[in-house]
Amino acid sequence: MTTNTMNLAIDTGSITSETPEPPVTGIETNRRMQVISLLIILAAVIPLVIFPEQGKTIITSIFEWMTSTFDFAFLGLGLVSLVFMLSLACSRHGNIKLSADKNATAEFSKGAWGAMVFLAGIASGLVLWGGTEWGYHFAWTPFGLDAQTKEMYTVAQAYGIFHWGPTAWAIYAVPTIAMSYIYYVRQKHIYEISESCRGAMGNLVDGPLGTVINYLFVFGVLGAAATSLGLGTPMISGALAELLGVAGGLHMDLMAILVCTAIFTFSSGLGLSKGIKRLSTFSTFVTLAIVAYIFVVGPTKFIISLGMDSVGYALDNYIRMSTWTDSVNQSGFPQAWTVFYWAWWVAYAPFMGMFVTRISRGRTIREVIFGMLGYGSLGCALFYIVLGGYGINLQITETLAVSELVNTQGVAPAIIEIFKTLPASGLVLLAVVISGIVLLATTFDSAAYVMACASTRKLEEGQEPERSNRLFWCFAIAIVPVILLILGGLKTMQTASVIVGLPVLLILAMMMITTIKYLNEDNA
C-alpha cells in the first residue's frame, strides 16, 4: 500500500463506489451491555454535574499524579509501540492477509480507507491545534531553550509534528493489529477488547477482569466524544458567530451541536458504506481544500521552508523527544505535553483499533500498519506545516500576535483570528464551519458505530450492527457531552477520559504479547 496522502484526494473514483450493506439477519444486540454502559456513563457524569468544582480538583490532582509518576511508562510504551509495529510490518508476518479468504480484495479503496482512518484518528482537533500549538511551545520551551527566540519557531512547530506523528499512529495500530488478526485470521467474530489480551492473560479474560477491560472501553469512547466536542464546538461556534455578526456563546454551541447530531444520526442509520464512508470523504475534501487555499494564498515559500526545517528538527531529535522526562530540571514540559498526548492516544486507542479493524478486511498486516503510519503521520504533518507555518508568518511579520492570543485567550479564538487575516475570510470561515461540523459528526458517527459493534454478540465479516443499535449509541454518546457542556464539567470529563490511559497502558502491552504469541503459534 502506498502511504502517499495525496491518494485521499485523487482516488475519487474508487472512493465513491458503494458496497451494499449486508443483511442483519440473525444479529443479536447485547442489551445487557447497553444498560450497564449507560449506568457507567451516568455514574461518571452525575458527580461532575452535582459537584463540579470538587470533581475538577480531584480529577486534576489524579491526572497530575499520573503524568508525573508514570511519565516513563507512557513514553516507553510509545517508543516500544513504534518499534514493534515497524518490525512487524517489515517481517514475514506483514504479508498475512486479514481475511479468511486469502484471495479476498480489500473492502474499501485506499482513498476511502485512508480517509476513514485519518478522520477517525484526528477527530476535530487537528485544524485547531495545527495552527496554534506552536504558540504554546514558543512561550514555554523544551530542553531549557530560551523562550520567544527565532529558533523556537522551528522547534515549536517540530514538537507539534512530533506529537501527532508516527508514535501516535503506532499506538493506534497496536490494538488494530491485535483485534484484526483475531477477528479475520483466527475467525473469532466478536468485538471485545479483552479477547485481544487472551494470549497474555489466558482465561482471566473470561472473568471479572475481562469485563472491566471491556467496560473501560466504554468510558474511553465517551471521553473521545467529550474531547471532540470540547475542542471542536468553540471553533465552529466562533466561526459561525463571526459570519452572522453576533456574539458567540452557549446558544451558538448548541446550534452547532444540533446540526452535527442530525448529520451523524442520519449517517449512522445509513451504515458504514453509505454513511461513514461518504461523510469521511466529504470531510477530507473540505478540510484539505482549506489547507490548500492557505498554502496557495499564504507565504508559500516560507511555509515550505519552515516545514522542511521543522521536519528535519523532529527527525534529528526524535529519540530525545520520545524519551525526555526532564528528571533533573523538572520543568514539567514533557509531562504537560508529550506524556499528556501519549496518554490521550492510549486512552483513544481501543476505539481506533476496533474501528480500523472493521474497515480493514482484505488488507495485509503490512498495508494496515504502513497505511496508518503513513496516512496519519503525513496528513497531520501537512496540517501543522501549512496552518502552523501561516500562523508563524503572521507572528514574525507582526500582522497578528498569535502566541499571545493562544496563551491569553485560548486556541479557538486564536485560530478564528488567524483565519480572519486570509483573503475572502468570510468564505474561509464558512468552510471552517462546514468542515468542523462534518469532522465532529464523523467522530461521533464512528464512535456510535464502534459501540454498536461492541454491543453485538457476534458479527460476521462485512456484517453491520442493527440499525436500532447504532441509533441507540448515537443518542447515548451525543447526549452526555451536551449535558456536560450546558451544566458544566465537560473539561473535567475530558481530563478524566485521559486518566483511563493508565490502565489501558497495560492492556496495550498485553495486546502486543498476544499478537506475538498468536503469530508465532499460527505461523511457525
Side-chain angles (χ1 to χ4, degrees):
M1 167 191 263
T2 177
T3 58
N4 190 338
T5 50
M6 290 305 293
N7 278 341
L8 293 176
I10 66 176
D11 201 12
T12 311
S14 52
I15 285 177
T16 55
S17 62
E18 294 184 13
T19 303
E21 182 174 336
V24 295
T25 307
I27 293 176
E28 183 183 357
T29 298
N30 188 341
R31 302 298 177 189
R32 181 172 179 269
M33 183 175 184
Q34 287 184 337
V35 172
I36 294 176
S37 297
L38 279 183
L39 292 176
I40 291 173
I41 291 170
L42 291 174
V45 168
I46 291 173
L48 297 181
V49 173
I50 298 176
F51 309 106
E53 291 304 317
Q54 297 92 324
K56 179 180 179 181
T57 301
I58 293 171
I59 294 297
T60 301
S61 297
I62 295 173
F63 172 74
E64 291 175 351
W65 168 80
M66 182 189 78
T67 54
S68 61
T69 305
F70 296 98
D71 50 1
F72 70 93
F74 282 104
L75 294 176
L77 181 104
L79 194 56
V80 168
S81 297
L82 180 59
V83 172
F84 177 63
M85 285 294 108
L86 290 175
S87 300
L88 181 57
C90 294
S91 73
R92 62 188 177 92
H93 300 308
N95 293 320
I96 295 173
K97 179 164 286 192
L98 300 173
S99 175
D101 179 7
K102 301 309 176 185
N103 297 315
T105 57
E107 184 177 3
F108 298 98
S109 69
K110 292 178 181 178
W113 183 85
M116 287 189 282
V117 169
F118 182 61
L119 293 181
I122 67 169
S124 56
L126 186 57
V127 174
L128 195 63
W129 287 101
T132 58
E133 184 179 335
W134 69 267
Y136 284 116
H137 304 326
F138 184 69
W140 183 17
T141 64
F143 308 135
L145 298 172
D146 292 333
Q148 300 180 343
T149 62
K150 290 183 178 180
E151 178 190 10
M152 279 310 303
Y153 290 121
T154 299
V155 177
Q157 181 162 277
Y159 244 97
I161 293 171
F162 165 70
H163 284 150
W164 291 70
T167 301
W169 293 91
I171 290 171
Y172 284 165
V174 168
T176 300
I177 298 302
M179 286 187 262
S180 296
Y181 186 81
I182 291 168
Y183 187 88
Y184 292 114
V185 180
R186 288 208 150 203
Q187 292 288 294
K188 194 76 179 271
H189 289 159
I190 54 173
Y191 285 95
E192 289 184 352
I193 303 300
S194 61
E195 191 62 36
S196 303
C197 303
R198 185 179 293 277
M201 299 172 61
N203 293 333
L204 287 174
V205 300
D206 296 321
L209 187 57
T211 302
V212 170
I213 290 173
N214 291 329
Y215 283 108
L216 271 175
F217 164 72
V218 175
F219 195 75
V221 172
L222 176 64
T227 300
S228 299
L229 190 71
L231 290 176
T233 304
M235 180 181 69
I236 297 166
S237 63
L240 192 59
E242 286 286 342
L243 283 172
L244 299 177
V246 299
L250 182 60
H251 63 290
M252 296 300 295
D253 291 344
L254 293 176
M255 183 186 299
I257 292 169
L258 184 64
V259 175
C260 168
T261 302
I263 292 172
F264 87 79
T265 301
F266 178 73
S267 173
S268 187
L270 291 176
L272 189 60
S273 296
K274 296 180 180 179
I276 296 176
K277 189 180 82 169
R278 289 178 175 177
L279 202 59
S280 297
T281 301
F282 180 72
S283 300
T284 301
F285 285 138
V286 174
T287 309
L288 285 179
I290 296 172
V291 175
Y293 178 75
I294 293 172
F295 179 74
V296 172
V297 304
T300 306
K301 171 65 167 57
F302 175 79
I303 289 172
I304 294 172
S305 299
L306 181 62
M308 293 183 68
D309 292 341
S310 301
V311 170
Y313 186 94
L315 291 174
D316 195 36
N317 292 274
Y318 203 91
I319 299 299
R320 186 184 182 189
M321 297 159 87
S322 297
T323 59
W324 184 53
T325 63
D326 201 15
S327 58
V328 176
N329 291 324
Q330 297 185 349
S331 65
F333 182 95
Q335 289 75 22
W337 285 101
T338 307
V339 176
F340 167 76
Y341 264 120
W342 275 208
W344 188 3
W345 305 140
V346 167
Y348 203 41
F351 155 69
M352 272 297 291
M354 191 173 291
F355 179 72
V356 180
T357 291
R358 173 57 190 86
I359 64 174
S360 295
R361 176 163 59 99
R363 300 199 175 276
T364 65
I365 288 176
R366 182 176 295 117
E367 284 180 315
V368 172
I369 294 174
F370 283 148
M372 292 183 74
L373 268 63
Y375 279 113
S377 302
L378 294 176
C380 290
L382 175 68
F383 277 67
Y384 266 83
I385 288 170
V386 176
L387 299 180
Y390 181 75
I392 289 171
N393 184 71
L394 294 177
Q395 178 92 12
I396 291 174
T397 58
E398 299 183 353
T399 304
L400 184 68
V402 178
S403 183
E404 182 180 342
L405 272 173
V406 168
N407 285 280
T408 57
Q409 297 186 32
V411 290
I415 198 69
I416 297 301
E417 291 301 317
I418 289 173
F419 289 139
K420 285 169 63 178
T421 65
L422 289 163
S425 60
L427 290 177
V428 176
L429 289 173
L430 178 60
V432 169
V433 171
I434 295 171
S435 171
I437 288 175
V438 179
L439 279 171
L440 201 57
T442 303
T443 302
F444 276 79
D445 195 359
S446 302
Y449 186 89
V450 163
M451 286 306 305
C453 288
S455 57
T456 301
R457 296 190 185 280
K458 186 177 182 181
L459 275 178
E460 299 297 335
E461 292 184 22
Q463 282 188 320
E464 301 270 6
E466 290 181 313
R467 180 168 295 164
S468 61
N469 192 9
R470 301 198 298 262
L471 295 177
F472 168 84
W473 286 111
C474 285
F475 171 80
I477 290 174
I479 195 66
V480 173
V482 171
I483 291 172
L484 289 172
L485 180 67
I486 297 172
L487 301 179
L490 183 61
K491 289 187 180 296
T492 306
M493 186 68 208
Q494 294 172 33
T495 306
S497 69
V498 175
I499 293 173
V500 173
L502 185 57
V504 175
L505 197 73
L506 298 174
I507 293 172
L508 294 189
M510 295 299 103
M511 287 180 172
M512 283 189 274
I513 294 171
T514 297
T515 300
I516 294 171
K517 181 179 179 181
Y518 285 170
L519 285 172
N520 289 334
E521 286 180 358
D522 299 342
N523 303 276

